Amino acid sequence: MATLKDHGAVVAMVAVIFLAAAALSSHASATAVDEPAKYKPTAPAPSPASHSSPPPPRVVQPVIVVQGLIYCKSCKLKGYNSGMDASPLPNATASLVCYGDEDSKFRVLNQTSTATDKNGYFLVMVYDVDMFDRHSCRLYLRSSPTPLCAAPFVPSNPKLGLTLVRDRKATAPRGARGIFHPKTALMYAPATAGKCPPY
């Protein structure tokens, strides 16, 4: 026959089981309520740069380079060259004239050079490369910075131009189809002997 002692032990055991079940239930409900929503990782949004294509390469416009020198004959100015008996003539200009053919409908290219620097150096950049043919192009004297050295000397006739040769030793800039120069320097001379520019 079960005693109170046994009954008390059963009650105590039931109470322990009940409390344990309640504690588990409480923990489960707390977990269910307090557990944060599960994080679903997503891929980061791609940066706009990853979809943009690289910039197109810079187009280099083809060009023909024509260069040369303009001197003042028989004047001992700064940079005087005794072998040529001439001095560089700063701020003078030349003209490059190219005569087209039937394919170009006989167009004429006429370009003025840069003004010469202190060494008498000038430059012409020809962008209409289809019009350039060294056999049909000529360099002419165009202007002198002073009337004291303005008489055409090379060539002596202002209507005559100098032919061009290709400079194969010069380093051509990017895009250049070639560098050309006349066989000799262009020259002016004093109109009156002995009257040279003061510089």
Side-chain angles (χ1 to χ4, degrees), residues 97-177:
V97 180
C98 299
Y99 302 95
D101 55 16
E102 189 176 351
D103 292 338
S104 63
K105 298 181 180 177
F106 299 103
R107 288 191 305 129
V108 177
L109 174 73
N110 190 338
Q111 276 191 245
T112 302
S113 72
T114 60
T116 53
D117 63 12
K118 64 179 182 178
N119 300 312
Y121 174 81
F122 68 83
L123 183 71
V124 183
M125 304 286 278
V126 182
Y127 291 100
D128 191 353
V129 293
D130 293 334
M131 276 296 296
F132 183 87
D133 178 352
R134 76 174 185 87
H135 302 290
S136 66
C137 294
R138 299 288 183 273
L139 267 175
Y140 298 85
L141 288 166
R142 182 175 179 86
S143 70
S144 171
T146 172
L148 296 177
C149 195
F153 189 81
V154 178
S156 57
N157 185 335
K159 293 183 180 179
L160 296 176
L162 300 181
T163 57
L164 301 173
V165 294
R166 187 172 192 136
D167 190 343
R168 299 191 182 278
K169 293 181 181 178
T171 303
R174 187 171 171 233
R177 299 264 179 98

Side-chain angles (χ1 to χ4, degrees), residues 79-102:
Y80 176 72
N81 184 319
S82 59
M84 296 172 65
D85 185 28
S87 304
L89 186 61
N91 298 314
T93 60
S95 287
L96 175 71
V97 180
C98 299
Y99 302 95
D101 55 16
E102 189 176 351

